[in-house]
Amino acid sequence: MSQALRTPSGGRINRARTVRFTFDGRELTGFEGDTLASALLANDVHLVGRSFKYHRPRGVLTAGPEEPSALVAIRRDAARVTPNLRATEVELYEGLVAESQNRWPSLKLDVGAVSGLLSPFIPAGFYYKTFMWPRRAWQWLYEPKIRAAAGLGRAPEHPDPDSYSNRFAHCDVLIVGGGPAGLAAAHAAAESGARIILCEQQPQLGGSLLSETDPGAALGDGEWLSRTIQGLMNHPRVTVLTRTTAFGYFPHNLIGLEQRLTEHLAQPDPRQPRERQWQVRAKEVLLATGAIERPLVFPGNDRPGILLAGAARSYLNRYGVLAGRRAVLLTASDEAYRSALDLHRAGVTIAAIVDVRPQAAGELPEAARRAGLPLHTAATVVGTTGRLRVQGIRIQRLDAQGQPQGAAERIACDLVLMSGGHTPSVHLFSQSRGKLHWNEALQAFLPGQSPEKARCAGACRGIFSAEAARRDGESAGALAARDAGLAIGAIIREPPLLEAAGAAVPGELPQPAGRPAIKAFVDWQNDVTSRDLSLAAREGFRSIEHIKRYTTTGMATDQGKISNLNALGIVARQIGKAIPEVGLTTFRMPYTPVTFGSFAGYARGELFDPVRTTPIHDWAVHEGAVFEDVGLWKRARYFPRNGESMHAAVNRECQSVRTSCGLFDASTLGKIEVVGKDAVTFMNRLYINSWTSLAVGRCRYGILLRDDGFVYDDGIVARIAEDRFHVTTTTGGAARVLAMMEDYLQTEWRDLSVWLTSTTEQWAVIAVQGPGARHVLEGLVQDVDLSAAALPHMSVAPGRICGVPMRLFRVSFTGELGFEINVPADFGAAVWEAVYEAGRPHGITPYGTEAMHVLRAEKGYIIVGQDTDGTVTPDDAGLAWAAGTRKSDFVGKRALERPVMHGPERKQLVGLLTAEPHVVLEEGAQIVPDARVTPPTRPIGHVTSSYYSATLGRSIALALVRAGRERMGQTLYVPMPGGNLSVQVVSPVFYDPKGSRQNA
Amino acid sequence: MLLISCPYCGERPELEFVHGGQAHIARPGDPSACSDQQWADYLYRRDNIKGVHAERWRHTHGCGRFFNALRDTTSDHFLATYKVGEPPPAQAQAQAQLRKATT
Ligand SMILES: [Zn+2]
């Protein structure tokens, strides 16, 4: 029969709208307004999943986001499978497809449950203890097996097709929680003139009142709830966000909100974002996050059909669902009696109320007695029965000392309601770095002072009754508005009215001496039992943070919402300390899991990162260039012709540069204009070189160190005028070099009159390199004499090209006669095309970064960051000649004076030639001095650059090798999987060591 | 994300700024007069303060200026921001001590 456990009437579901769904392929129905959990329970389905470690059958435990147990995957299509959703939060929609997790081959027959049989042998810290040795077995045995057996759910196998939105917002008061306290606070603050954002994780406002059959009775005001909600919805200063979880509290009152927009829809509009993540900066934050019921810890407390008492009451009153037919209530507080009374009225047989306390004399226990419900005080639970569903419990009486005695009595039931009292939800408050104080009467941690502008109201500060929480919210809301700067009169906030009725001592229920409880679960999601915690304490763990990590209690995605306090109680008892002395583990964000998609937001695909392109980019695209990413830049890597391979294209491009002429887009080079009367002093202090002697119109290869003496950047620096330098940096280093320059200028050398301007994107840089370069430019350049005498290697001249203003550099990163034409970026493409046309009779060939790398390596020119790694000095790189020896100081000079910076064992840049000329070494490969050594051994260096050189007809490599310059001619070895490769140490300059070509 | 008050631009979100390490560590005027140990201390030794810490920030995606700030590392609250060359405001220090004494 369909929905056998649905009540004939009542609840907040829409009985006119039947909703069909499937669970593990089984077709079921529920009503609009159901959660997946309530609909499953209405169909008498309690078995929902298998547990993490022992694969124990598990069911629905709670009715809210704290659910650790009923975790399911929701499948829309192959790409839209969301694992580990809490069935208690999943809103039912037509056609919903839900699947259980962590079971094989089926939920009812799970092979993995065998590890449950072995469970006495899987104690706390099992992974640490058992799998330590042999270490190699981790790779092929332990890790794959553990990974297969553990974990919850499976990630979807396709890219996420949904879109996600981000939004920033500001408000006077952000209110988290739409229960009686939050609603009253929002109303009061809005009436005071504050701009409000109210967020509520559930689809409806009302909080705990939604689980009352008559919310008006709970408040003494029948219309309050609907009137307040209506008022807030229509209020011009109030933004109400439902289905929105405040997942994180960040410094300076920034709160992360996760708004679920389409999860509840049967057929979402594909144009609508699935979720929206809000970053709300609030002047004041008001937390009305409620409280969470604590389970009781006793043997076999995890069977399907064992629920929190308040959850069962929610299912009845809110969803019209009876969670069973014959129930037992286990409690340590009066409050939970409400559940038994409500279920009794709805027709459920209450087989017993088992109250751990010696007496139960309050109003609610009296009502239970009047209703004739069998009440056992001073009793405990020593076990449960049932495999896939609870079938009974065994209880034992407690003597005056609270010890179980006498024979156990079995009570048959198909539903167990338990309640250990309520734990205030202080997660967000604690994330705000607010201090918590232990309250002995409530047996709970309550919020104290926060360094942030945060305050709490209602159950999250221990004020549990709806009416008291409403009044507390009202005054808190007005206070928040006042503290947000709104002028309002005096506000009186009553001291919290703490009702101790719900206070059970956290921990484990009493068990017979000498019979320690087994399978008394504390943490449902991570399968941690009271025995695991006791064992950890016995093994000497004292810090709760260590015990948490050792046992993994509270470390699952539920973050121990229902388990932390019980774990603390058990540990405290075991080590003989009070709970507040043991302390509390840190609450971390997110409060409930947040999808990665919402963090990524719009920043995916083309919007993931900005893309930087040069003025010549479109031309290169048109010419069929293959691009590579260099930082954010797109750079042409090579220009294949007629389906050439990269290797063939690079060989051709290199040979063109060496024999005729090549054309290269160097626009990505970082460029900084250093201007001012103290520009030369500034450059002298910063770079290792001497700049005083650099004449206007000349260039120098500059090296920049950090003050630790290691190479940071390099580049050509031209002196444009006495007080003006055109500094170039590496492509990737432009921003950090400018930042470093600004740092020294603004903070250390404030006496200098210098201005720095990034001109990277203002200049297009067109490199024309090769023996034919001068001929190509002759007809295009005006106002500059290109002859070697007038414009020698390493000089610069202003002029015009194609009528456009230009800085013409005579420089070479290839070792050939070379020019770098700098023109304003807007003219870059036109000048490039003009140079290309003029060069065609001379065989001009565009080349990319790959050929550029080969050409520079043939000349032994380093690339900072490839041939250096942050531990390389100028001397290590063979560049000591660049340092201005007469300078008393420059950045890095003092560090270079330390003996260790020029000791004999330093790694130095050398060239390597493989014995086999066609073998190209792998960059990053290690180098050893002896062919016979076997790992582990200490390498003496590594390959930094390695290419095939078409010009030389063989491979070449650069390497950093310990005492490398003393090893010229030596044979070293590069161990590779196929065996050692032997290499000879040579000069890093492979081509034209005298430099006659670039001086032509 | 912190809210940081640039002395030149006013309050801006942290993502416009870059943290620059501990403040008020001057580069020695004559580095060659330093011993190796003194130089190593200048390069590497930094305080790791629980409490009020003077630190450098740069408003990189704004005015580009470096400035200093006093931040309480236990609460992430800024007690003051001030320009390079100015001494740390004593008033803020006092406030911080007062706060400590009362909590
Ligand atoms: Zn600024």
Side-chain angles (χ1 to χ4, degrees):
Chain A
M1 188 189 135
S2 168
Q3 304 197 46
L5 290 184
R6 187 76 70 175
T7 58
S9 65
R12 294 168 182 276
I13 41 158
N14 180 4
R15 290 170 191 263
R17 292 285 295 276
T18 299
V19 178
R20 287 169 300 174
F21 70 102
T22 67
F23 177 65
D24 281 348
R26 187 176 156 200
E27 293 186 9
L28 298 165
T29 63
F31 290 125
E32 189 179 85
D34 261 327
T35 63
L36 175 61
S38 69
L40 287 171
L41 293 177
N43 288 283
D44 208 6
V45 175
H46 272 266
L47 176 62
V48 180
R50 289 276 178 170
S51 75
F52 174 67
K53 197 155 79 178
Y54 305 126
H55 289 237
R56 304 254 303 177
R58 288 282 165 80
V60 176
L61 180 67
T62 75
E66 65 271 30
E67 177 64 34
S69 186
L71 305 179
V72 296
I74 300 296
R75 176 183 295 272
R76 286 187 190 263
D77 55 46
R80 292 179 172 90
V81 188
T82 311
N84 295 332
L85 288 176
R86 293 157 296 282
T88 51
E89 282 192 301
V90 172
E91 292 179 57
L92 207 62
Y93 56 76
E94 180 66 27
L96 178 134
V97 177
E99 292 165 2
S100 62
Q101 302 185 151
N102 220 25
R103 80 299 192 253
W104 187 86
S106 77
L107 191 52
K108 286 189 178 169
L109 177 68
D110 174 31
V111 170
V114 71
S115 70
L117 303 176
L118 296 173
S119 59
F121 309 104
I122 311 182
F126 170 69
Y127 294 157
Y128 302 116
K129 289 168 182 158
T130 313
F131 297 114
M132 288 298 285
W133 188 90
R135 279 179 66 177
R136 273 183 183 223
W138 266 108
Q139 287 168 19
W140 59 269
L141 177 63
Y142 301 145
E143 195 171 330
K145 295 285 177 203
I146 291 170
R147 282 198 188 284
L152 279 169
R154 284 165 54 183
E157 286 160 11
H158 298 277
D160 189 342
D162 289 317
S163 67
Y164 299 82
S165 158
N166 290 152
R167 185 158 167 189
F168 296 92
H170 295 259
C171 64
D172 292 320
V173 185
L174 170 71
I175 294 159
V176 181
L183 290 172
H187 175 77
E191 287 303 303
S192 307
R195 288 174 308 128
I196 309 289
I197 294 175
L198 169 67
C199 70
E200 164 56 50
Q201 65 199 2
Q202 299 233 16
Q204 291 109 35
L205 297 174
S208 62
L209 297 175
L210 298 173
S211 298
E212 300 291 339
T213 43
D214 181 5
L219 292 172
D221 178 349
E223 298 304 310
W224 184 83
L225 183 60
S226 54
R227 190 177 67 234
T228 306
I229 291 174
Q230 202 58 39
L232 292 172
M233 295 307 240
N234 296 326
H235 204 292
R237 285 189 296 274
V238 177
T239 305
V240 175
L241 302 173
T242 51
R243 299 189 175 92
T244 303
T245 304
F247 65 83
Y249 200 127
F250 305 93
H252 299 187
N253 266 23
L254 185 77
I255 314 295
L257 308 181
E258 179 81 343
Q259 185 182 18
R260 294 169 292 279
L261 300 166
T262 62
E263 289 299 89
H264 60 292
L265 300 174
Q267 270 161 341
D269 183 337
R271 292 165 304 178
Q272 198 186 0
R274 181 185 177 199
E275 295 178 359
R276 177 177 296 124
Q277 191 175 112
W278 296 65
Q279 292 182 43
V280 179
R281 186 79 71 174
K283 285 186 187 157
E284 294 289 324
V285 171
L286 200 155
L287 301 171
T289 45
I292 291 173
E293 198 165 23
R294 274 200 305 278
L296 292 169
V297 180
F298 56 87
N301 60 347
D302 66 325
R303 297 187 199 284
I306 303 180
L307 276 71
L308 292 174
R313 188 161 177 261
S314 283
Y315 287 119
L316 173 61
N317 293 341
R318 182 168 176 184
Y319 302 101
V321 171
L322 305 171
R325 295 176 178 86
R326 187 179 162 83
V328 171
L329 170 68
L330 311 174
T331 181
S333 76
D334 285 5
E335 186 60 28
Y337 280 71
R338 288 186 199 279
S339 301
L341 289 164
D342 284 3
L343 285 166
H344 169 68
R345 272 194 289 275
V348 175
T349 304
I350 305 298
I353 296 176
V354 181
D355 197 320
V356 186
R357 300 171 296 179
Q359 291 108 31
E363 210 174 289
L364 290 164
E366 285 310 323
R369 284 192 184 94
R370 281 197 302 277
L373 307 185
L375 177 52
H376 309 255
T377 52
T380 187
V381 184
V382 296
T384 66
T385 56
R387 197 172 73 87
L388 302 177
R389 171 81 180 265
V390 66
Q391 288 174 344
I393 65 164
R394 287 186 299 115
I395 67 171
Q396 225 172 327
R397 299 202 58 78
L398 295 170
D399 63 18
Q401 283 72 45
Q403 288 305 308
Q405 54 152 248
E409 178 189 346
R410 184 176 184 280
I411 302 171
C413 59
D414 67 354
L415 174 65
V416 176
L417 316 175
M418 59 178 166
S419 177
H422 282 79
T423 308
S425 290
V426 294
H427 309 74
L428 283 174
F429 178 80
S430 184
Q431 282 182 34
S432 85
R433 306 194 202 183
K435 293 262 184 298
L436 301 174
H437 302 296
W438 177 250
N439 183 295
E440 192 64 31
L442 288 187
Q443 291 288 307
F445 284 100
L446 297 183
Q449 277 293 313
S450 170
E452 297 290 346
K453 291 180 170 131
R455 55 166 54 76
C456 298
C460 71
R461 66 191 284 248
I463 300 172
F464 293 123
S465 94
E467 170 52 15
R470 185 186 67 79
R471 276 189 282 117
D472 190 48
E474 206 166 78
S475 60
L479 277 173
R482 188 198 64 188
D483 289 353
L486 293 143
I488 43 184
I491 301 151
I492 296 158
R493 195 174 191 200
E494 295 162 19
L497 176 67
L498 304 177
E499 296 148 80
V505 177
E508 192 183 1
L509 291 187
Q511 295 302 314
R515 282 200 21 227
I518 57 162
K519 292 295 171 316
F521 283 87
V522 176
D523 180 333
W524 270 246
Q525 200 179 348
N526 262 356
D527 265 359
V528 181
T529 65
S530 62
R531 211 169 66 130
D532 294 329
L533 292 161
S534 301
L535 180 62
R538 281 204 308 279
E539 288 183 357
F541 287 92
R542 286 298 175 269
S543 155
I544 192 66
E545 293 283 1
H546 291 160
I547 290 173
K548 169 178 162 176
R549 282 154 184 78
Y550 189 58
T551 62
T552 74
T553 189
M555 285 177 71
T557 58
D558 73 333
Q559 298 218 30
K561 286 186 185 65
I562 65 163
S563 63
N564 280 344
L565 216 50
N566 280 331
L568 211 49
I570 289 165
V571 170
R573 194 191 166 108
Q574 185 74 34
I575 65 181
K577 278 187 177 178
I579 283 177
E581 286 175 59
V582 177
L584 202 54
T585 55
T586 313
F587 292 95
R588 296 178 202 283
M589 79 105 183
Y591 176 68
T592 47
V594 179
T595 57
F596 283 118
S598 92
F599 281 103
Y602 299 112
R604 57 194 289 191
E606 287 189 334
L607 298 178
F608 176 65
D609 241 354
V611 173
R612 301 177 81 182
T613 57
T614 74
I616 293 119
H617 183 79
D618 290 347
W619 187 91
V621 171
H622 186 257
E623 290 295 310
V626 174
F627 289 87
E628 67 170 335
D629 292 334
V630 181
L632 300 177
W633 289 103
K634 295 279 177 207
R635 298 198 74 180
R637 193 174 184 199
Y638 57 99
F639 292 83
R641 282 188 189 160
N642 309 319
E644 269 177 328
S645 67
M646 178 171 105
H647 185 66
V650 170
N651 286 350
R652 175 178 52 73
E653 290 171 14
C654 287
Q655 276 167 323
S656 297
V657 173
R658 294 274 181 242
T659 58
S660 53
C661 186
L663 185 61
F664 178 70
D665 179 6
S667 303
T668 63
L669 271 184
K671 299 169 225 51
I672 300 166
E673 196 88 343
V674 177
V675 186
K677 73 176 170 60
D678 297 319
V680 70
T681 309
F682 177 72
M683 290 298 291
N684 276 335
R685 290 185 189 179
L686 201 63
Y687 278 73
I688 72 169
N689 319 68
S690 170
W691 302 100
T692 312
S693 59
L694 184 69
V696 172
R698 298 308 307 262
C699 303
R700 188 161 280 170
Y701 170 65
I703 298 173
L704 180 64
L705 311 182
R706 296 180 310 207
D707 237 340
D708 61 10
F710 297 120
V711 174
Y712 191 57
D713 203 77
D714 68 350
I716 298 291
V717 176
R719 192 156 195 183
I720 304 296
E722 283 297 326
D723 63 349
R724 182 177 290 264
F725 290 86
H726 178 129
V727 177
T728 68
T729 73
T730 56
T731 294
R736 62 171 182 260
V737 170
L738 181 61
M740 178 173 169
M741 287 181 168
E742 285 286 356
D743 194 345
Y744 279 99
L745 193 58
Q746 290 184 34
T747 68
E748 291 290 350
W749 305 326
R750 299 193 307 127
D751 54 317
L752 298 185
S753 178
V754 175
W755 286 267
L756 306 169
T757 309
S758 168
T759 54
T760 301
E761 297 197 344
Q762 275 58 47
W763 295 110
V765 183
I766 301 160
V768 186
Q769 303 275 313
R774 188 176 284 121
H775 300 302
V776 172
L777 295 186
E778 263 161 2
L780 301 172
V781 169
Q782 301 144 276
D783 313 334
V784 183
D785 180 350
L786 296 179
S787 70
L791 191 69
H793 181 54
M794 297 300 266
S795 57
V796 63
R800 302 178 80 76
I801 183 167
C802 311
V804 171
M806 159 188 77
R807 281 180 187 171
L808 183 63
F809 287 69
R810 169 85 198 272
V811 291
S812 173
F813 198 42
T814 59
E816 299 297 327
L817 165 65
F819 298 91
E820 288 186 0
I821 305 160
N822 283 242
V823 291
D826 287 351
F827 299 115
V831 171
W832 173 279
E833 287 185 39
V835 173
Y836 184 58
E837 282 310 315
R840 287 172 87 139
H842 304 280
I844 200 166
T845 301
Y847 66 98
T849 51
E850 199 63 29
M852 177 270 282
H853 274 279
V854 178
L855 294 163
R856 65 90 199 173
E858 288 169 352
K859 287 289 294 177
Y861 296 148
I862 62 161
I863 300 256
V864 171
Q866 177 167 343
D867 302 297
T868 70
D869 60 2
T871 66
V872 175
T873 67
D875 184 55
D876 297 342
L879 301 170
W881 54 265
T885 48
R886 285 202 295 275
K887 294 203 293 182
S888 61
D889 188 23
F890 55 78
V891 171
K893 185 172 197 295
R894 176 63 188 82
L896 289 177
E897 288 164 5
R898 296 167 60 225
V900 71
M901 299 296 263
H902 36 79
E905 286 295 282
R906 292 201 65 81
K907 288 183 183 173
Q908 295 166 333
L909 187 78
V910 295
L912 297 180
L913 290 177
T914 50
E916 300 286 336
H918 64 275
V919 171
V920 180
L921 296 171
E922 280 195 29
E923 289 174 354
Q926 300 295 313
I927 298 166
V928 295
D930 189 334
R932 291 161 303 180
V933 298
T934 51
T937 183
R938 200 170 159 214
I940 59 166
H942 66 278
V943 177
T944 60
S945 292
S946 178
Y947 309 96
Y948 181 78
S949 163
T951 305
L952 300 171
R954 58 155 303 130
S955 70
I956 56 169
L958 298 174
L960 287 167
V961 176
R962 202 178 304 148
R965 287 199 288 270
E966 285 177 19
R967 296 179 189 267
M968 287 297 150
Q970 275 186 19
T971 299
L972 302 176
Y973 301 90
V974 176
M976 295 300 289
N980 284 329
L981 300 173
S982 84
V983 295
Q984 195 187 10
V985 181
V986 297
S987 158
V989 185
F990 297 93
Y991 185 69
D992 187 24
K994 291 206 167 67
S996 52
R997 299 182 68 89
Q998 68 201 19
N999 289 316
Chain B
M1 195 190 316
L2 306 177
L3 273 180
I4 302 173
S5 185
C6 170
Y8 305 93
C9 308
E11 207 164 63
R12 295 284 193 279
E14 184 184 348
L15 60 87
E16 294 184 10
F17 297 83
V18 172
H19 189 260
Q22 188 174 346
H24 305 300
I25 295 175
R27 190 171 186 271
D30 182 4
S32 61
C34 294
S35 68
D36 281 355
Q37 186 58 49
Q38 284 169 328
W39 191 252
D41 287 350
Y42 159 67
L43 283 182
Y44 301 118
R45 258 184 101 114
R46 297 295 181 266
D47 295 330
N48 185 14
I49 288 173
K50 184 177 182 184
V52 179
H53 181 58
E55 62 192 10
R56 293 158 16 106
W57 287 87
R58 184 179 179 217
H59 194 189
T60 305
H61 302 291
C63 63
R65 304 296 292 267
F66 281 85
F67 59 90
N68 295 325
L70 292 181
R71 182 173 59 94
D72 187 335
T73 60
T74 62
S75 66
D76 268 336
H77 284 186
F78 286 97
L79 292 101
T81 55
Y82 50 102
K83 293 177 184 177
V84 170
E86 293 175 356
Q91 201 187 340
Q93 297 264 33
Q95 271 175 12
Q97 265 152 21
L98 188 72
R99 261 165 45 88
K100 254 193 180 161
T102 52
T103 52

